[in-house]
Amino acid sequence: MGALNKLSAQGVKSAAAGKHSDGGGLWIFKSDAAKGKWVLRVHVHGRRREMGLGPYPRTSLKEARLEADKWRRVSQQGLDPIKQRQTDIRAAERNMHLLSDVARDAFESRKAELKGDGKAGRWFSPLELHILPKLGKVPVSEIDQRDIRDVLAPIWHEKASTAQKAMDRLSICMRHAAALGLDVDIQATEKAKALLGKQRHKVQNIPALHWRAVPAFYQSLNEGTVTQLALRLLILTAVRSAPLRFLHLDHIEGDVWTIPAEAMKGRKDATSDFRVPLSSEALAVIEQARPFARDGFLFAGVRRGVISDATMAIFMDRRGMVERPHGFRSSFRDWTAEATNTPREVAEICLGHVSGGAVELAYRRTDYLEQRRVLMKRWSDLIKNSNSNVSRMMA
């Protein structure tokens, strides 16, 4: 190997441009009097390898000697130090990926599966609100069941649904990390559930008005505001609030409103649009709302975009009601079951639900538009003509 440590710090500094040996295969290649780079020459499997150890003067003589000594020992074991360093770097990268980075990468890879490419943020928000503030800067390889338990314990029972969503999203992130080749415990979330125990919170259905009380409420919406008109059309069509809030006038042709497939939730045939038959009362509500339209959207917000998800709920809350807008879908479905002889599949498709097995769905191509048109007219006639006590709903 020859003599070691032949150079001095001052000697390196004053050395002219050229190659200067420190012994043991360590060289400094100076490009000029002030700058250079450290190189280690070793022989592995009968061939010479030159390994860069850093630039000079950023890397001092002392630091270069320590690095050279480290990689000499590797070469003495019959290993190529350059390849070994690359392996070590890859391993370090795998172990140092932060959860926040993995979570966002997982979200990006799943956007195509989410409604509206996940722009509403509902998929990511449980992670952003309850997981990432405490674990986002932790390398994903270091996260274990105790970390997860400690983060979710405060909401595990009190906000059971939210906690479960956060746990599910985190599980997806851990599996995503494993697919990237990172060293993670993909069972960590299941172990955390075992530590947290069974959730005590009971799932409660969204409060809904009894269908017999809907006419009185509907008739009380007589001020012609955007919010009240939106509630009227929500009740008349039994759709979810999101498609209604984003209703675009271009989607209405005659007495049919076509909701784009990507705006529908929970449909097995999510590649197809959903047609909603509009009763004469629904068309009248749309005409009343047209003056408020902006950029083609029927229910425009005060400053921009469309009315918020909470607008109609806040209106009902101010009336002292515990019921929520989504509950009118239940009101409608109960009416079809209790007061009509509507076939189940027709009633379900009115709500945008698609029931039945894969074989049945493959052969059933109809959306029962004509039957639904008749049914929605009956619903419309009930809620606009009932003699229910309107004043009771005006509190």
Side-chain angles (χ1 to χ4, degrees):
M1 180 178 291
L4 297 175
N5 304 335
K6 294 189 292 184
L7 299 174
S8 66
Q10 184 59 40
V12 172
K13 183 177 180 180
S14 60
K19 300 179 182 181
H20 307 276
S21 172
D22 187 51
L26 178 61
W27 292 74
I28 184 168
F29 295 176
K30 294 197 73 175
S31 55
D32 56 43
K35 295 182 295 184
K37 65 177 181 179
W38 295 101
V39 174
L40 176 66
R41 289 176 175 174
V42 295
H43 285 79
V44 182
H45 306 309
R47 62 173 182 161
R48 191 175 79 176
R49 302 287 275 156
E50 286 194 355
M51 181 180 191
L53 299 182
Y56 176 83
R58 186 189 307 169
T59 303
S60 67
L61 173 61
K62 180 179 180 181
E63 291 169 334
R65 284 172 174 169
L66 290 173
E67 280 292 293
D69 186 55
K70 170 185 173 181
W71 295 114
R72 282 193 204 101
R73 289 196 297 270
V74 170
S75 66
Q76 290 166 3
Q77 296 172 12
L79 299 174
D80 186 325
I82 296 176
K83 290 184 178 180
Q84 186 61 43
R85 181 166 64 180
Q86 292 171 344
T87 299
D88 292 347
I89 290 172
R90 286 194 296 270
E93 288 175 346
R94 284 199 299 269
N95 290 332
M96 285 305 295
H97 272 299
L98 305 183
L99 176 61
S100 58
D101 297 330
V102 172
R104 286 180 174 82
D105 192 55
F107 176 51
E108 288 295 325
S109 70
R110 281 159 180 76
K111 275 187 175 180
E113 306 170 15
L114 306 174
K115 185 174 68 175
D117 288 337
K119 290 179 181 177
R122 292 181 180 176
W123 191 92
F124 198 74
S125 61
L127 289 169
E128 194 168 40
L129 293 174
H130 303 289
I131 301 291
L132 298 184
K134 292 187 177 179
L135 295 181
K137 295 183 179 180
V138 178
V140 70
S141 60
E142 296 181 11
I143 295 174
D144 62 22
Q145 61 270 25
R146 290 176 294 275
D147 298 320
I148 301 169
R149 175 199 60 189
D150 294 344
V151 166
L152 291 179
I155 63 169
W156 187 246
H157 298 294
E158 297 302 321
K159 298 180 179 179
S161 177
T162 299
Q164 187 61 58
K165 287 178 182 178
M167 184 75 83
D168 292 343
R169 304 292 194 274
L170 180 56
S171 178
I172 290 172
C173 292
M174 299 297 273
R175 294 198 300 273
H176 186 80
L180 290 172
L182 308 182
D183 183 17
V184 297
D185 181 2
I186 60 174
Q187 296 297 321
T189 52
E190 290 302 315
K191 295 174 185 176
K193 287 180 183 179
L195 294 176
L196 288 163
K198 186 176 180 180
Q199 291 177 313
R200 293 191 296 269
H201 178 76
K202 293 182 179 180
V203 177
Q204 295 181 343
N205 293 326
I206 294 174
L209 276 179
H210 191 281
W211 64 265
R212 293 185 184 277
V214 173
F217 176 72
Y218 179 86
Q219 293 165 42
S220 76
L221 303 172
N222 55 14
E223 296 177 6
T225 65
V226 171
T227 301
Q228 292 192 17
L229 291 169
L231 272 168
R232 278 189 168 228
L233 194 59
L234 186 80
I235 295 169
L236 288 164
T237 56
V239 299
R240 290 182 171 86
S241 66
L244 179 113
R245 292 186 299 110
F246 286 92
L247 190 161
H248 198 281
L249 292 171
D250 289 346
H251 297 158
I252 298 174
E253 185 173 348
D255 66 348
V256 175
W257 164 27
T258 302
I259 302 176
E262 61 270 18
M264 293 299 293
K265 174 183 177 182
R267 286 174 58 85
K268 294 179 182 178
D269 60 341
T271 57
S272 63
D273 298 338
F274 180 64
R275 298 190 295 173
V276 180
L278 299 170
S279 64
S280 58
E281 177 72 2
L283 290 170
V285 170
I286 290 170
E287 286 305 310
Q288 283 184 266
R290 278 181 185 272
F292 300 106
R294 185 175 62 240
D295 299 328
F297 291 104
L298 189 63
F299 299 114
V302 176
R303 295 182 180 84
R304 62 180 181 177
V306 299
I307 59 175
S308 76
D309 195 27
T311 300
M312 291 179 283
I314 291 172
F315 174 84
M316 296 176 70
D317 190 54
R318 286 175 178 170
R319 285 207 173 178
M321 302 171 66
V322 296
E323 295 84 5
R324 287 295 175 262
H326 191 81
F328 290 116
R329 288 165 56 81
S330 296
S331 306
F332 169 81
R333 187 63 181 89
D334 289 344
W335 169 75
T336 62
E338 296 178 10
T340 76
N341 59 355
T342 304
R344 180 180 182 277
E345 58 268 25
V346 175
E348 285 296 300
I349 208 167
C350 282
L351 299 175
H353 296 164
V354 180
S355 58
V359 175
E360 180 183 352
L361 292 173
Y363 285 93
R364 189 175 74 210
R365 306 297 173 85
T366 181
D367 64 356
Y368 301 103
L369 183 65
E370 294 307 317
Q371 294 97 316
R372 290 192 290 128
R373 180 176 278 120
V374 173
L375 183 63
M376 300 314 289
K377 181 182 183 303
R378 289 180 60 188
W379 175 242
S380 170
D381 290 343
L382 171 76
I383 61 180
K384 74 175 183 177
N385 296 324
S386 174
N387 292 322
S388 301
N389 181 7
V390 176
S391 62
R392 182 171 61 86
M393 301 302 299
M394 295 293 289

